[in-house]
Amino acid sequence: MTTIKSAPFDGDAPASAPRHKEATLSEDRVPAEASRVAIDPYQLPQRSVPTIKRIKEAAKTLLPDSLFLSLLHHKCIGRYPNLVRPVTFNEKILQRNLRPDPRYIELTDKLRVREYIAAKIGAEHLIPLVATPEVFTREVFDALPNAFVMKANHGSSFVEVVRDKSDTSFEKLKRRAEQWLAIDFYDIARERHYCTIKPRIFFEHLLLDARGQIPADFKVHCFGGQAGPPILYILVISDRFGSATHGDVYDANWNHLDIAIGFYKRSAKPAPRPANLESVLDAAAALSEDFDYVRVDLYAPDNHVYFGELTFTPGAGVLPFTPDRIDYEWGKLLT
């Protein structure tokens, strides 16, 4: 078993400059109508946006990336970032937005990353694919099973869960797919490694646990994997597509930490320690060993461990922490 370190909380090649497009940066990173995700860990609360504010937000897209990100960081975190000598976790993530490691492109693509995952921890940890069509046609829809998940490979929160195909239609999913494919995810928060990912729709097996429920999302923040056993913190998103969504942070020993990440509320009491927690941590450690930091998303229904995605710029560098000091403490872990 991989040895995992847990730290207590106390007090690269430049990417080519991407093009700018006239896109509105709304209160959410992805327009609400483009995603079925009930609550995203890193989304701001949704509210209607007046026309004047939309115009102002659209004008911001003409700004250079560094200035755009500074304003966005101030809006979301409440202070301007230091991009020259970053200290906080968010500031260091902003640097990754601007100067991403070239490896991020392939490993952020939710289809291309599958080969890497199979080589690192085995193909049995991949959620089975149902279809990866070049074009989503009625014939593709008709061939889909009764239950599935539709996703897009080029961004965050592009997820449509279908439990019963009779409750949806080809026309509805086609519109959703077209909305997703029209989004240049770089425009949302200037994460440059998204620029060259070719948008693609794909379909996965609907992953359910023994109770018939969608399993919790284990977002494992992995620090220092290149230097030895990583320091791991686990954000567990429960009932993500339901009405009782919570986000709870645990250390590698399953201690429930008094921390909130993004806009999820903590549960009143910790969840029971998963029986396969060690398998989850082992998979996260193996997938983080090539990086000084990466967030590894996993699912752990019953006695299985399935891969979700690798995220190198979580929250795009504008991720609120409660308490705010965690932004600084995690910044110390990210070298």
Side-chain angles (χ1 to χ4, degrees), residues 189-307:
R190 307 295 173 86
E191 296 165 280
R192 290 185 172 182
H193 49 292
Y194 284 101
C195 281
T196 57
I197 297 177
K198 180 182 178 181
R200 186 93 174 265
I201 298 296
F202 64 100
F203 299 85
E204 286 181 345
H205 170 79
L206 176 59
L207 196 63
L208 299 174
D209 62 21
R211 300 172 303 158
Q213 302 298 314
I214 296 174
D217 192 349
F218 286 69
K219 297 182 178 295
V220 189
H221 293 264
C222 309
F223 296 90
Q226 284 183 309
I231 296 170
L232 305 182
Y233 291 102
I234 313 157
L235 170 62
V236 180
I237 309 301
S238 55
D239 197 30
R240 183 174 178 182
F241 296 91
S243 59
T245 308
H246 289 89
D248 295 277
V249 182
Y250 301 86
D251 64 16
N253 295 313
W254 203 249
N255 294 308
H256 193 209
L257 304 177
D258 189 14
I259 298 168
I261 299 178
F263 294 90
Y264 277 129
K265 293 183 178 180
R266 296 174 72 244
S267 300
K269 60 180 181 179
R273 179 188 175 101
N276 59 348
L277 178 62
E278 296 300 330
S279 296
V280 171
L281 299 183
D282 286 348
L287 293 175
S288 69
E289 65 184 4
D290 295 330
F291 309 99
D292 54 5
Y293 168 80
V294 64
R295 195 192 78 205
V296 180
D297 292 5
L298 300 166
Y299 304 96
D302 309 315
N303 291 317
H304 303 285
V305 177
Y306 291 99
F307 170 75

Side-chain angles (χ1 to χ4, degrees), residues 32-305:
E33 68 274 11
S35 173
R36 280 289 302 277
V37 176
I39 304 176
D40 189 270
Y42 309 119
Q43 287 183 336
L44 295 170
Q46 297 183 18
R47 61 174 74 92
S48 60
V49 182
T51 301
I52 293 177
K53 188 170 184 179
R54 289 183 182 274
I55 293 173
K56 289 172 64 177
E57 294 291 351
K60 289 180 183 178
T61 65
L62 303 177
L63 298 174
D65 286 355
S66 57
L67 180 55
F68 178 95
L69 290 173
S70 293
L71 293 172
L72 184 60
H73 185 276
H74 180 267
K75 176 182 178 180
C76 297
I77 306 300
R79 57 178 171 268
Y80 290 104
N82 187 335
L83 297 178
V84 178
R85 295 181 179 84
V87 173
T88 69
F89 177 81
N90 276 308
E91 288 171 346
K92 292 180 179 182
I93 294 300
L94 289 180
Q95 277 202 331
R96 288 185 168 204
N97 289 2
L98 297 170
R99 294 187 292 276
D101 184 315
R103 295 176 296 175
Y104 295 173
I105 298 171
E106 179 175 2
L107 299 182
T108 299
D109 185 320
K110 292 175 176 56
L111 283 173
R112 294 174 64 188
V113 70
R114 292 173 63 90
E115 183 177 347
Y116 177 83
I117 301 306
K120 294 291 287 188
I121 61 174
E124 66 272 17
H125 296 288
L126 295 170
I127 300 173
L129 287 173
V130 174
T132 56
E134 289 290 341
V135 180
F136 182 37
T137 63
R138 183 173 294 278
E139 289 72 24
V140 171
F141 175 79
D142 290 342
L144 293 172
N146 186 58
F148 56 87
V149 179
M150 183 174 79
K151 296 183 178 180
N153 68 321
H154 68 295
S156 174
S157 301
F158 297 131
V159 181
E160 176 82 11
V161 175
V162 176
R163 286 179 171 270
D164 186 339
K165 194 164 71 169
S166 66
D167 291 335
T168 188
S169 67
F170 166 70
E171 290 76 15
K172 178 181 178 180
L173 294 185
K174 179 70 170 178
R175 286 194 299 271
R176 181 85 60 192
E178 289 173 349
Q179 289 170 345
W180 292 349
L181 294 175
I183 294 172
D184 184 338
F185 205 72
Y186 155 76
D187 288 331
I188 306 297
R190 307 295 173 86
E191 296 165 280
R192 290 185 172 182
H193 49 292
Y194 284 101
C195 281
T196 57
I197 297 177
K198 180 182 178 181
R200 186 93 174 265
I201 298 296
F202 64 100
F203 299 85
E204 286 181 345
H205 170 79
L206 176 59
L207 196 63
L208 299 174
D209 62 21
R211 300 172 303 158
Q213 302 298 314
I214 296 174
D217 192 349
F218 286 69
K219 297 182 178 295
V220 189
H221 293 264
C222 309
F223 296 90
Q226 284 183 309
I231 296 170
L232 305 182
Y233 291 102
I234 313 157
L235 170 62
V236 180
I237 309 301
S238 55
D239 197 30
R240 183 174 178 182
F241 296 91
S243 59
T245 308
H246 289 89
D248 295 277
V249 182
Y250 301 86
D251 64 16
N253 295 313
W254 203 249
N255 294 308
H256 193 209
L257 304 177
D258 189 14
I259 298 168
I261 299 178
F263 294 90
Y264 277 129
K265 293 183 178 180
R266 296 174 72 244
S267 300
K269 60 180 181 179
R273 179 188 175 101
N276 59 348
L277 178 62
E278 296 300 330
S279 296
V280 171
L281 299 183
D282 286 348
L287 293 175
S288 69
E289 65 184 4
D290 295 330
F291 309 99
D292 54 5
Y293 168 80
V294 64
R295 195 192 78 205
V296 180
D297 292 5
L298 300 166
Y299 304 96
D302 309 315
N303 291 317
H304 303 285
V305 177

